């Protein structure tokens, strides 16, 4: 009886781990889509209202939730503080919030960092072009991650179950 | 926010440290000039000084702090609120107005498109002109600008840096709020260069009175007509007239029964007459009062006041 219970615990645990990993891939797609939405708002604010960056951060605080809201709250506080840091430094210093609290991979973070490096100091058209380029790259990432999502979720869910069974067999 | 802190936050870290050590009265600080690889200069109490690394005002430029390219670039980033693109139109005109109403003049490499200024790149020269409201500086001249509870068409003539905008701002505030039995009137201000109201995100940073509407960053000629149609002002105030379009708009405003208070660069009525575009305004006696200013003694010193016929009504002996 104990053996059966132990075997079931192992199988369920491994299945849970597998599902958890596959959920991270699903979550990454959601987060990339959220970034696309955020950057779209940013583009609109710059294109139609020439809204300055600190005001864009305040708008983002109202229009986002969770980790992105947290990111913009910190950014807003730092740009309002006039600490003497350049915008790209403020942007990049706070990327840790996204690294630690999202499922974005290093490539996604790097791309987001590059956007921050080019914000603020160019003319409007260059600013729009920079954001459009980022949106294009982001869209490619989203398509890629969506395409991989089905396979990856199936793979990790199955791996979880099969891995659990394998461990049980080895232990028996 | 403290005036000193408000000002310091726009500078690079290096300059902040030095300027923070200045032992001065900030109300007397008029200009701070940054030029790449040149000494840091301040205009304080109408005198030019250099600033050394210890934050002392000195006269010897060889001992002065040299402004670096990095200082100018960083300062520009803070001046523009990390958003240079948001000030494209202002940069095209050569200045940015920041919170507190301070005016930042810039110069660098001009980019042309179809023969017109598109932008300014490689900005290497920055002139920070501090905005100082002097409440009550117009109280001496106000009785000359009012007749039977009505404001007279007035032209303020002044050379640059003599305080014409400061005095115009105070006149607007007095007329808008009312004073000594004079009931306040609705005043419309066309603030093409954001100098009068020093609007930051649409809100005037300077006190322009309780009945004042401001059209910020709007060309004067179009703004005067827009105000007439939309806000029905009793008085319209504009700064630094001079263009042909301005004159046409002024005539339109005056014909609509609205009173006008304007400023112009010049030294005297004769000086204004010598300018082809402005001459007609004087010859046709459109303005009922001329206020001539100089900076003898202090900024905002009114030298004399004339009526439309050229009769002197007031003379300051300073």
């Amino acid at each position: 009886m104990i053996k059966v219970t132990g075997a079931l615990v192992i199988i369920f645990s491994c299945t849970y781990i597998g599902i958890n990993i596959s959920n991270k891939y699903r979550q990454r797609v959601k987060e990339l889509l959220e970034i696309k939405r955020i950057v779209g708002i940013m583009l609109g604010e710059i294109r139609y209202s020439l809204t300055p960056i600190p005001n864009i951060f305040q708008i983002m605080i109202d229009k986002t939730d969770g980790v992105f809201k947290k990111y913009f709250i910190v950014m807003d506080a730092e740009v309002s503080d006039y600490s003497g840091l350049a915008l790209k430094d403020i942007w990049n210093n706070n990327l840790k919030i996204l690294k630690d609290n999202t499922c974005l991979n290093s490539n996604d973070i790097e791309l987001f960092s590059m956007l921050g490096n080019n914000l603020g100091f160019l003319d409007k058209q260059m600013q729009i072009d920079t954001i459009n380029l980022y949106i294009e790259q982001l869209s490619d990432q989203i398509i890629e991650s969506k395409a991989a999502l089905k396979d990856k979720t199936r793979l990790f869910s199955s791996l979880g179950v099969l891995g659990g069974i394998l461990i049980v067999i080895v232990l028996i | 926010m403290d005036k000193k802190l408000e000002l310091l936050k726009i500078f690079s870290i290096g300059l902040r440290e030095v300027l923070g050590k200045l032992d001065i009265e900030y109300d007397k600080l008029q200009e701070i000039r940054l030029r790449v690889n040149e000494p840091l200069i301040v205009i304080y109490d109408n005198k030019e000084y250099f600033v050394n690394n210890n934050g002392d005002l000195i006269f010897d430029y060889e001992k002065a702090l040299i402004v670096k390219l990095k200082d100018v670039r960083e300062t520009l980033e803070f001046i523009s609120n990390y958003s240079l693109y948001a000030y494209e139109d202002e940069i095209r005109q050569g200045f940015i107005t920041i919170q507190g109403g301070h005016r930042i003049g810039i110069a660098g490499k001009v980019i042309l498109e179809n023969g017109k200024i598109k932008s300014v790149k490689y900005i290497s020269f920055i002139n920070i002109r501090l905005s100082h409201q002097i409440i009550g500086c117009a109280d001496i001249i106000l009785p000359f600008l009012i007749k039977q509870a009505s404001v007279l068409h007035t032209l303020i003539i002044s050379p640059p840096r003599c305080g014409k905008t400061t005095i115009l701002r105070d006149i607007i505030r007095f007329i808008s709020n009312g004073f000594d039995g004079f009931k306040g009137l609705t005043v419309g201000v066309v603030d093409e260069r954001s100098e009068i109201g020093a609007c930051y995100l649409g809100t005037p940073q300077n006190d322009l009175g309780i009945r004042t509407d401001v059209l910020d960053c709007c060309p004067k000629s179009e703004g005067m007509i827009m105000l007439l149609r939309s806000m029905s002002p009793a008085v319209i105030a504009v700064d630094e007239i001079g263009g042909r379009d301005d004159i046409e708009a002024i005539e339109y405003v005056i014909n609509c029964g609205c009173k006008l208070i304007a400023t112009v660069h010049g030294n005297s009525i004769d000086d204004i007459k010598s300018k082809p575009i402005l001459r007609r305004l004087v010859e046709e006696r459109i303005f009922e009062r001329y206020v001539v200013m100089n900076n003898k003694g202090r900024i905002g010193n009114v030298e004399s006041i004339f009526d439309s016929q050229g009769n002197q009504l007031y003379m300051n002996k300073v």
Side-chain angles (χ1 to χ4, degrees):
Chain A
M1 186 62 189
I2 293 171
K3 271 188 184 175
V4 174
T5 312
L8 285 174
V9 168
I10 289 170
I11 291 168
F12 280 125
S13 303
C14 289
T15 307
Y16 174 76
I17 291 168
I19 291 170
N20 204 24
I21 293 172
S22 62
N23 276 346
K24 282 192 176 173
Y25 282 95
R26 199 169 287 130
Q27 184 62 19
R28 177 176 167 240
V29 175
K30 274 188 193 167
E31 284 163 355
L32 288 175
L33 287 168
E34 177 65 1
I35 292 178
K36 194 174 175 184
R37 188 183 73 88
I38 288 168
V39 177
I41 297 171
M42 203 179 262
L43 180 65
E45 286 295 334
I46 291 173
R47 178 180 280 158
Y48 301 113
S49 314
L50 284 174
T51 311
I53 295 288
N55 298 70
I56 291 181
F57 290 163
Q58 283 162 6
I59 291 166
M60 291 308 169
I61 292 170
D62 290 338
K63 294 194 173 178
T64 53
D65 285 312
V67 63
F68 292 105
K69 190 184 187 91
K70 187 179 166 190
Y71 179 70
F72 285 114
I73 288 173
V74 176
M75 296 281 287
D76 176 51
E78 290 200 18
V79 293
S80 309
D81 192 34
Y82 287 88
S83 59
L85 286 175
L87 180 66
K88 65 173 184 177
D89 296 327
I90 296 175
W91 185 276
N92 290 328
N93 290 350
N94 291 307
L95 284 178
K96 198 176 178 305
I97 297 172
L98 298 184
K99 276 183 204 162
D100 293 348
N101 299 290
T102 63
C103 299
L104 298 171
N105 63 28
S106 56
N107 204 12
D108 303 331
I109 298 283
E110 198 186 325
L111 213 57
F112 194 64
S113 158
M114 276 160 61
L115 172 70
N117 291 346
N118 292 313
L119 275 185
F121 60 92
L122 305 167
D123 66 31
K124 179 184 158 190
Q125 195 50 50
M126 290 284 274
Q127 202 72 91
I128 290 169
D129 292 347
T130 302
I131 295 177
N132 275 331
L133 177 67
Y134 175 70
I135 290 176
E136 222 171 273
Q137 290 169 319
L138 192 62
S139 301
D140 289 345
Q141 299 267 85
I142 291 170
I143 291 169
E144 202 180 291
S145 59
K146 269 185 176 172
L149 181 65
K150 207 175 173 185
D151 294 340
K152 292 248 166 94
T153 47
R154 191 182 296 158
L155 173 74
F156 283 102
S157 304
S158 313
L159 265 181
V161 179
L162 294 172
I165 293 170
L166 182 69
I167 292 169
V168 169
I169 291 167
V170 170
L171 289 177
I172 290 169
Chain B
M1 197 190 289
D2 175 56
K3 201 167 187 175
K4 182 178 169 181
L5 286 177
E6 182 190 87
L7 180 67
L8 288 179
K9 71 179 188 183
I10 65 164
F11 291 99
S12 67
I13 292 287
L15 294 178
R16 253 184 237 188
E17 267 178 38
V18 174
L19 292 170
K21 289 182 203 162
L22 286 178
D23 186 20
I24 55 169
E25 287 176 48
Y26 272 74
D27 284 339
K28 290 183 181 170
L29 185 59
Q30 293 161 255
E31 283 182 21
I32 301 172
R33 286 181 175 270
L34 313 182
R35 297 180 177 100
V36 173
N37 298 330
E38 300 294 345
L40 175 61
I41 296 176
V42 299
I43 311 290
Y44 177 70
D45 203 12
N46 281 340
K47 289 189 197 102
E48 185 191 78
Y49 297 93
F50 300 104
V51 182
N52 69 11
N53 287 313
N54 300 323
D56 302 317
L57 298 182
I58 55 171
F59 291 105
D60 183 359
Y61 76 89
E62 288 179 348
K63 291 177 184 166
L65 169 79
I66 302 296
V67 176
K68 296 187 179 65
L69 179 66
K70 184 174 173 277
D71 290 318
V72 172
R73 294 281 186 271
E74 279 182 24
T75 301
L76 202 60
E77 187 162 4
F78 301 136
I79 285 170
S80 68
N81 228 342
Y82 303 98
S83 320
L84 216 45
Y85 62 83
Y87 295 93
E88 237 181 49
D89 290 341
E90 286 92 335
I91 287 171
R92 212 173 289 139
Q93 293 188 66
F95 69 89
I96 296 171
T97 303
I98 60 163
Q99 196 169 14
H102 312 304
R103 184 166 156 177
I104 318 288
I106 52 162
K109 183 178 165 55
V110 172
I111 309 294
L112 294 176
E113 194 176 74
N114 302 326
K116 286 188 176 174
I117 297 172
K118 183 174 182 267
S119 187
V120 182
K121 270 179 84 176
Y122 309 123
I123 294 166
S124 307
F125 310 94
I126 298 179
N127 177 23
I128 296 136
R129 287 180 66 186
L130 280 84
S131 156
H132 296 297
Q133 291 190 84
I134 304 177
I135 307 240
C137 65
D139 57 356
I140 300 169
I141 63 168
L142 275 166
F144 297 98
L145 311 187
I146 309 289
K147 195 175 179 184
Q148 293 165 348
S150 172
V151 176
L152 299 167
H153 298 303
T154 302
L155 183 66
I156 300 166
I157 304 166
S158 162
R161 290 176 56 188
C162 287
K164 62 183 173 315
T165 308
T166 308
I167 213 150
L168 175 66
R169 191 184 297 130
D170 208 43
I171 293 170
I172 293 167
R173 181 172 40 235
F174 271 119
I175 293 171
S176 175
N177 288 343
F179 61 95
D180 294 343
F182 175 80
K183 202 177 155 225
L185 297 172
T186 304
V187 184
V189 176
V190 187
D191 200 0
E192 187 167 357
R193 298 187 185 183
S194 292
E195 271 194 301
I196 308 172
C199 288
Y200 178 72
L201 302 176
T203 309
Q205 303 290 295
N206 291 326
D207 180 8
L208 294 182
I210 58 171
R211 296 181 186 87
T212 304
D213 307 304
V214 184
L215 260 184
D216 187 37
C217 292
C218 181
K220 283 183 282 283
S221 51
E222 291 169 50
M224 283 189 261
I225 291 161
M226 266 176 82
L227 276 176
L228 266 182
R229 289 175 182 159
S230 58
M231 305 306 282
S232 60
V235 179
I236 284 184
V238 288
D239 201 11
E240 294 182 17
I241 57 165
R244 204 170 294 276
D245 292 347
D246 298 345
I247 308 305
E248 282 171 18
I250 285 171
E251 284 174 340
Y252 185 80
V253 165
I254 287 173
N255 288 334
C256 287
C258 187
K259 297 296 178 180
L260 184 85
I261 300 175
T263 73
V264 67
H265 278 302
N267 296 309
S268 62
I269 299 179
D270 288 338
D271 189 18
I272 301 305
K273 275 185 186 170
S274 69
K275 295 175 184 173
I277 295 173
L278 296 168
R279 185 193 300 144
R280 197 157 54 89
L281 290 179
V282 181
E283 286 175 352
E284 290 180 8
R285 293 177 182 166
I286 283 174
F287 287 104
E288 295 160 290
R289 291 290 182 268
Y290 295 94
V291 178
V292 182
M293 297 176 67
N294 61 33
N295 67 350
K296 287 175 196 162
R298 65 182 172 92
I299 291 278
N301 192 45
V302 175
E303 188 179 280
S304 41
I305 300 173
F306 299 91
D307 66 9
S308 58
Q309 318 276 337
N311 300 317
Q312 195 169 52
L313 306 174
Y314 169 86
M315 188 182 172
N316 189 345
K317 291 184 177 107
V318 177

